[in-house]
Amino acid sequence: MTFSICVHETYVDDEGADQHRFGVAVTTRLPGVGALCPHASEDGAIATQSVTNVELGRKGLDYLADGLAVDDALQALLNADDGREQRQLHGVDADGTFAFTGEGCHDWAGHRTGSDYTVAGNLLTGDSVVDAVADSYEGSGRDEPLAKRLIDALGVGHAEGGDKREDLPIQSAAVVVATTEDREMDPYYDDLRVDATETPLRDLRETFALAREGYEAAVEKYATE
């Protein structure tokens, strides 16, 4: 009962080498979504939701690490899942995308895919929520860290109507970003969760800002020692 976005981007690191990064962000009107739905590694990003089967995310990343394409990996997992019609599963790898919304997901439920991203949601106010998230990401550019841009995209979806269950005030949100780059210190803001709050995206945005500030302070401190 959630909406989420998975993204793949290419970039050039400080040494001039080509790299890939993968990100996933999610929010829902239930606590603890970060422990269940978002999964990312240097091989791809996956979100598993609706009647959530966490193993679809965990095994999906294992399959990607073994070299399977994301569409083959996630379709194979769904084929073996008796509850697949109640699942929503989507993700990206370096070469493609996959998105599935089972017929048993509650309205409004659906997804949208681009060349390097997927967005999906269920129990939403309408399809405009998914479109708003996708359009926000597409227009975000590359000036800010991916984690921030994903949080901002969810915020636009929430403003569009988001999760329609207004009788459930305790919510959560999470963002995870992984990269192929071998970094001495991973940014603290690439793996963040807000597990129980009435304002999940505002809180996650504030948590990101503080984590970014702390990371930059640590980099400055240890660069001079």
Side-chain angles (χ1 to χ4, degrees), residues 54-145:
V54 178
E55 287 303 302
L56 297 179
R58 294 172 179 164
K59 289 183 178 179
L61 290 184
D62 288 343
Y63 284 3
L64 295 184
D66 289 340
L68 271 69
V70 68
D71 52 349
D72 292 334
L74 299 189
Q75 188 61 64
L77 288 169
L78 285 171
N79 290 344
D81 183 359
D82 291 338
R84 58 186 169 272
E85 292 306 328
Q86 295 180 295
R87 315 294 189 206
Q88 200 166 42
L89 181 66
H90 64 108
V92 297
D93 65 6
D95 299 309
T97 64
F98 176 88
F100 171 82
T101 299
E103 293 183 358
C105 295
H106 294 293
D107 288 336
W108 185 88
H111 55 262
R112 171 173 159 179
T113 63
S115 61
D116 54 8
Y117 71 84
T118 56
V119 182
N122 62 93
L123 275 170
L124 304 183
T125 56
D127 59 354
S128 62
V129 177
V130 165
D131 287 338
V133 174
D135 291 345
S136 174
Y137 169 70
E138 285 189 346
S140 66
R142 299 288 183 93
D143 293 338
E144 294 285 356

